[in-house]
Amino acid sequence: MNRRVTSRACVALIAIMVATVPGVAHAGGGNEAEVEVPQAKGGRQGKNLTVQTKIQTTVNGARETAKTGTLTPADSNWNPPACWYEPAYSPKQIQAIVKAIRQVGMLGVGELVGGVFDSYFKEGHPYKNYNLDKQGKGQFWAATINEKRKNDPEANSCNKLPFWVEEGETPKEPLAVSPKILAEYAYDELPVPSTEIELAPEGTTKVNLPTWAWLDKAKFKKVSVTASIPGSGLSATTTAEPVSLSIDPGTEDAETYPASGECPIEGGKIGVPRAKGTSADTDPPCGVKYLRSSDGDAYNLRATVTWKISWTSTTGEGGDLPEGQFGADQQVEVEEVQSINR
C-alpha cells in the first residue's frame, strides 16, 4: 500500500477505525460504548476524527427558573458555530490510539488503518514519530461538533485531520477555537426566562376594552454565560439584556399599545401593572385591545422579548452579537361586553 494516501482516502478509513477500535470513544454515539482517553474523548462526525468539546460554561445573573428557553438570532443569516477545532490530543495519546488501532485483527483493518495514521503522524507526512519529542510543548487540535447544531450543513465544515499547535501559539485556521467562537458558543447556552406576560384583566377580556400587559421585572434582568476551555487561558462571557417586548394579538381585529406593538423597557420595566381602581377604558402603556369576540374560542397572543447581546473576553476582545428573540403563546378569550349580563 502506498503510504502517501490522499486526504480523502485517509478520512474514509478513519470512519472504519472509529467504528471498530475499542480504544477510541464515540461522541454522542447512541448505543455505542464510550471509553475515556485521558484528557480527551474522541469521536466521529461523518468520516472525520473529532473530539468531544472540553468547553465549560457557567451561568450568572439570572434568577433560577424552571422555564427557560434558547434565543433565536434576529438575524436569520447568523447562527452560533456548528463546528470548530480545539486542543485535543497529546503526542502520547495519538501514539496510544494508533497502537490500539493496530491491535484490531479483523480483515487486516488494524494494520491498514494503522498504516495510514503512521504515515500521517509518524513517518513524516507531515509529522514524525507522533511529535513525541514535543510532549508537553503543544497538542494536536481536532474538530469538534456543537451538539445543538450537529445536523446543520456547516457541521461538516471542520474536515481536517488533527493538526499540531505549539503551546501558546494561535493557529491560523479560521475555525480554530477563539474568544469569539467561545462567545458565540455561549450565545447558544443563554438561559432566558419564558416569555409569559401578565395580563389584566386575566384570562378573559372584553371587546373594545384595553388589556394591560407587563413582564415580571425580577425575572427579566441581564443574564450572562461564560465559556472557557480549561488550561487554555481562553474565556469569553456573553451577556443578554432585555430591551423590548413585541406583542402579536393573534388576529388582525385588534390594536396594540403602542401602535407598533413594541413595548420598550423603561426604568428596568416592560409595561406597567394595572393599578386597582383604574378605569376599564384607560389605555395602557403596553397592551392590546381586541375589536372582535373570539366566539367561544381563544386568540393566540404571542409575546416575544428581544435581547441585546454583547461579549467580552480574557484577551480584551469583545463587541456585539446579533440580537436574540424568545417568545411564547398565550390563549386569550374575548367576549362581547353584553355577555356579562347573561
Side-chain angles (χ1 to χ4, degrees), residues 157-198:
S157 300
C158 301
N159 52 17
K160 292 183 178 180
L161 296 176
F163 54 89
W164 181 258
V165 179
E166 296 283 347
E167 193 72 31
E169 288 191 1
T170 301
K172 295 181 180 179
E173 165 59 48
L175 290 175
V177 70
S178 64
K180 187 174 183 181
I181 284 180
L182 288 174
E184 292 172 340
Y185 178 85
Y187 187 116
D188 238 3
E189 301 294 314
L190 287 164
V192 296
S194 62
T195 312
E196 187 171 345
I197 58 176
E198 303 287 339

Side-chain angles (χ1 to χ4, degrees), residues 1 35 37 41 45 49 56 119 123 133 139 141 143 145 152 155 168 228 241 243 277 297 302-303 307 314 323 327:
M1 173 183 173
V35 293
V37 177
K41 186 176 287 187
Q45 177 71 12
L49 181 66
Q56 296 180 356
S119 175
E123 297 174 3
D133 61 329
Q139 292 188 73
W141 286 40
I145 309 299
D152 290 4
S228 60
E241 180 180 3
V243 292
D297 202 348
R302 183 163 186 82
W307 298 74
T314 49
E323 290 184 337

